[in-house]
Amino acid sequence: MFFAPYIVRCSDSSSVQVKIDTALAADISATHNAPLWQTNWDSPLLSDPSVQKYAMKTEDGELVALAAYQISGRKAYVYILYAESAPASNPVLTKKAERKYCGIGAALIAFGIKFSIDNGCRGDVVFDAKTDELAKHYAEDFGAKRIPQRSERRTETFYACRRGCLVAVLKVLSRGGAGTWIKRTMHNM
């Protein structure tokens, strides 16, 4: 049973294998160099000891994305605190037609589900949609459910349960191990 995520090279629609490992200090430092990333990955919020930061890299070591995950206090779910693509693939910073890679968000959500399973949270994840377009994407493409909010917030919060969001996992696992990983994971839930 293994997790083998990939993303898609936008120029030719080819699959690119990636690894997601604990972010190194050098990965965080790279976000301060040109081209600048949107997020201060050294901020107090993301530097909290309860936040675990991960880096997504291609097999040749190219930093593609960073994500921050946090296990809820009662180990009920994993909160995907923040996720960001490198500037060359970030849809906010780079025009869609010029992006280097796509499918990064799906891979990071799938990793969040795996991280949740590995940490006893049954594959449940919670995350925020920063835009209406992302909210629609999460609901329609991933089967994520909106969580009603008590207060006025600029973002919508979503819940992706282990069964309802496996679409994301299916999209990012390589064909070789996907069926086995999903069958074993679903059986153990």
Side-chain angles (χ1 to χ4, degrees), residues 3-5 17-28 41 51-69 107-108 111-112 114-115 118:
F3 181 73
Q17 288 292 144
V18 292
K19 291 187 177 189
I20 303 173
D21 291 311
T22 301
L24 305 172
D27 300 324
I28 304 304
W41 285 88
V51 175
Q52 297 180 49
K53 294 182 267 193
Y54 285 84
M56 175 190 289
K57 296 180 183 178
T58 61
E59 289 181 341
D60 64 355
E62 177 186 1
L63 180 61
V64 175
L66 290 170
Y69 302 90
L108 294 173
F111 179 78
K114 178 193 177 305
F115 183 76
D118 291 348

Side-chain angles (χ1 to χ4, degrees), residues 52-183:
Q52 297 180 49
K53 294 182 267 193
Y54 285 84
M56 175 190 289
K57 296 180 183 178
T58 61
E59 289 181 341
D60 64 355
E62 177 186 1
L63 180 61
V64 175
L66 290 170
Y69 302 90
Q70 188 174 42
I71 298 170
S72 70
R74 296 183 188 152
K75 283 193 128 183
Y77 60 87
V78 165
Y79 179 52
I80 303 174
L81 186 62
Y82 207 82
E84 181 179 2
S85 303
S89 300
N90 188 315
V92 174
L93 301 174
T94 305
K95 294 178 185 173
K96 189 172 185 175
E98 298 171 6
R99 289 187 350 204
K100 185 170 184 177
Y101 300 112
C102 53
I104 296 167
L108 294 173
I109 290 172
F111 179 78
I113 293 169
K114 178 193 177 305
F115 183 76
S116 175
I117 291 166
D118 291 348
N119 284 281
C121 300
R122 303 176 324 256
D124 297 335
V125 295
V126 171
F127 50 92
D128 296 320
K130 292 182 276 183
T131 66
D132 291 340
E133 182 180 60
L134 279 175
K136 182 178 178 184
H137 174 57
Y138 295 151
E140 293 178 1
D141 298 333
F142 295 162
K145 306 295 181 206
R146 283 182 171 89
I147 298 173
Q149 302 295 321
R150 288 188 218 175
S151 62
E152 293 291 320
R153 289 181 50 170
R154 283 195 243 157
T155 60
E156 290 190 59
T157 301
F158 284 83
Y159 167 72
C161 68
R162 57 202 168 274
R163 296 182 189 277
C165 206
L166 279 176
V167 172
V169 176
L170 283 168
K171 286 182 178 181
V172 299
L173 291 176
S174 68
R175 292 183 190 121
T180 304
W181 187 83
I182 288 170
K183 285 177 189 170

Side-chain angles (χ1 to χ4, degrees), residues 6-65:
Y6 69 89
I7 55 177
V8 176
R9 187 181 337 276
C10 297
S11 62
D12 62 5
S13 299
S14 62
S15 297
V16 177
Q17 288 292 144
V18 292
K19 291 187 177 189
I20 303 173
D21 291 311
T22 301
L24 305 172
D27 300 324
I28 304 304
S29 293
T31 67
H32 301 295
N33 303 328
L36 293 175
W37 291 46
Q38 288 181 287
T39 305
N40 175 3
W41 285 88
D42 291 319
S43 72
L45 176 67
L46 294 175
S47 296
D48 185 291
S50 69
V51 175
Q52 297 180 49
K53 294 182 267 193
Y54 285 84
M56 175 190 289
K57 296 180 183 178
T58 61
E59 289 181 341
D60 64 355
E62 177 186 1
L63 180 61
V64 175

